């Protein structure tokens, strides 16, 4: 260890700081979540902190693991440009502008709630999830029943996306009922949605399915099953 440190010190003297690489980052955008846009990536230097700064100045701190990172920002009904700011452990910084494409509204939120609520009750007497007919704009958990929490992203009174998290306590009531009712109300007739759902239960691997205007994503994280519904055009 002592010889390695000596060699490194010699390198710094001779080459005037050859270890101070210019920071760079490769990024990937994921817009499959019902409520958030995710930006992940890797860098060539160890990261200290990552932030996403929205157009209106809101900041959200991301997760860091060595040279890897992931950060999120609320998905919007309009195109947006966020600033990815990375602070490195050696004191250097990197800023990168990232454009995020707009999301499409599934329905007006009030209409969605009025359609889904009675059908859920009729379809499964054990399911208790209900969507409040009136709700303020933003991202919020609007129901938590039988170990299943349901989040919505509402903007301009429009439902932008839906995200359902099952903690594994009740996998046969709330989530499959919500999926079946959504299919019925929004004319998603292809059985591929349920097939994708069953596949993720068996394989525990990320699975997605697109039917018409809607995309369904299923994935496990920390033994929790996440299901997201978005409109793709």
């Amino acid at each position: 260890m002592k010889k390695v440190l000596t060699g490194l010190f010699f390198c710094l003297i001779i080459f005037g700081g050859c270890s101070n690489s210019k920071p760079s980052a490769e990024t990937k955008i994921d817009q499959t979540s019902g409520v958030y846009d995710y930006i992940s990536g890797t860098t060539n230097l160890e990261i200290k902190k990552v932030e996403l700064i929205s157009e209106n100045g809101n900041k959200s701190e991301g997760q860091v693991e060595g040279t890897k990172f992931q950060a999120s920002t609320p998905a919007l009904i309009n195109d947006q440009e966020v600033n990815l700011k990375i602070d490195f452990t050696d004191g250097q910084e990197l800023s990168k502008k990232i454009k995020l494409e707009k999301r499409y509204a599934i329905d007006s939120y009030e209409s969605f709630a009025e359609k889904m609520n009675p059908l859920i009750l009729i379809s499964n007497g054990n399911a208790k999830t209900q969507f409040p007919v009136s709700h303020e704009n933003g991202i919020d958990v609007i129901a938590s029943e039988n170990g299943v929490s349901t989040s919505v992203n509402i903007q301009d009174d429009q439902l932008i996306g839906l995200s359902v998290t099952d903690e594994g306590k009740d996998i046969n009531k709330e989530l499959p009922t919500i999926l079946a009712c959504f299919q019925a109300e929004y004319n998603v007739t292809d059985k591929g949605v349920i097939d994708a759902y069953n596949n993720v239960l068996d394989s525990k691997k990320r699975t997605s399915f697109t039917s018409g205007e809607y995309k369904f994503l299923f994935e496990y994280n920390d033994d929790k099953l996440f299901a997201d519904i978005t409109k793709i055009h």
Side-chain angles (χ1 to χ4, degrees), residues 199-214:
N199 286 339
V200 75
L201 293 181
D202 293 336
S203 68
K204 301 294 189 295
K205 295 181 179 179
R206 179 181 172 116
T207 306
S208 64
F209 179 80
T210 300
S211 178
E213 297 179 313
Y214 304 100

Side-chain angles (χ1 to χ4, degrees), residues 20-214:
N20 292 330
S21 301
K22 184 178 179 180
S24 63
E26 295 184 2
T27 57
K28 180 180 179 182
I29 297 171
D30 185 347
Q31 293 186 290
T32 54
S33 164
V35 294
Y36 290 101
D37 288 335
Y38 288 91
I39 299 172
S40 60
T42 58
T43 63
N44 63 330
L45 300 174
E46 188 172 357
I47 304 168
K48 179 181 179 181
K49 182 181 179 181
V50 168
E51 278 186 326
L52 278 183
I53 305 172
S54 66
E55 292 177 344
N56 59 11
N58 289 335
K59 297 180 180 180
S60 58
E61 188 169 342
Q63 297 175 318
V64 172
E65 185 178 335
T67 59
K68 298 179 180 179
F69 68 89
Q70 178 177 275
S72 64
T73 189
L76 300 183
I77 200 170
N78 53 272
D79 294 337
Q80 61 174 317
E81 184 177 76
V82 295
N83 183 31
L84 173 67
K85 184 175 180 293
I86 305 176
D87 295 332
F88 296 93
T89 56
D90 67 356
Q92 296 189 79
E93 297 180 354
L94 175 67
S95 291
K96 189 173 184 179
K97 297 288 187 181
I98 297 179
K99 293 183 178 180
L100 299 172
E101 294 183 0
K102 68 180 182 180
R103 299 293 192 96
Y104 294 90
I106 293 173
D107 200 345
S108 75
Y109 174 74
E110 182 177 349
S111 175
F112 171 82
E114 289 178 342
K115 291 174 182 177
M116 292 286 288
N117 287 341
L119 192 57
I120 289 174
L121 295 177
I122 294 171
S123 300
N124 187 343
N126 294 317
K128 299 179 181 179
T129 297
Q130 291 286 279
F131 298 87
V133 176
S134 178
H135 200 280
E136 62 185 14
N137 291 309
I139 295 173
D140 196 15
V141 178
I142 51 83
S144 184
E145 302 288 349
N146 292 318
V148 176
S149 61
T150 303
S151 301
V152 293
N153 182 354
I154 306 171
Q155 292 174 37
D156 296 335
D157 300 320
Q158 304 293 305
L159 178 65
I160 306 305
L162 184 70
S163 184
V164 184
T165 304
D166 191 327
E167 297 181 357
K169 299 177 182 178
D170 189 303
I171 211 162
N172 293 314
K173 293 178 183 177
E174 307 299 328
L175 179 51
T177 302
I178 292 170
L179 291 172
C181 292
F182 186 93
Q183 285 184 265
E185 285 296 337
Y186 292 92
N187 299 316
V188 183
T189 57
D190 200 304
K191 72 182 184 70
V193 176
I194 296 301
D195 287 344
Y197 171 68
N198 289 330
N199 286 339
V200 75
L201 293 181
D202 293 336
S203 68
K204 301 294 189 295
K205 295 181 179 179
R206 179 181 172 116
T207 306
S208 64
F209 179 80
T210 300
S211 178
E213 297 179 313
Y214 304 100

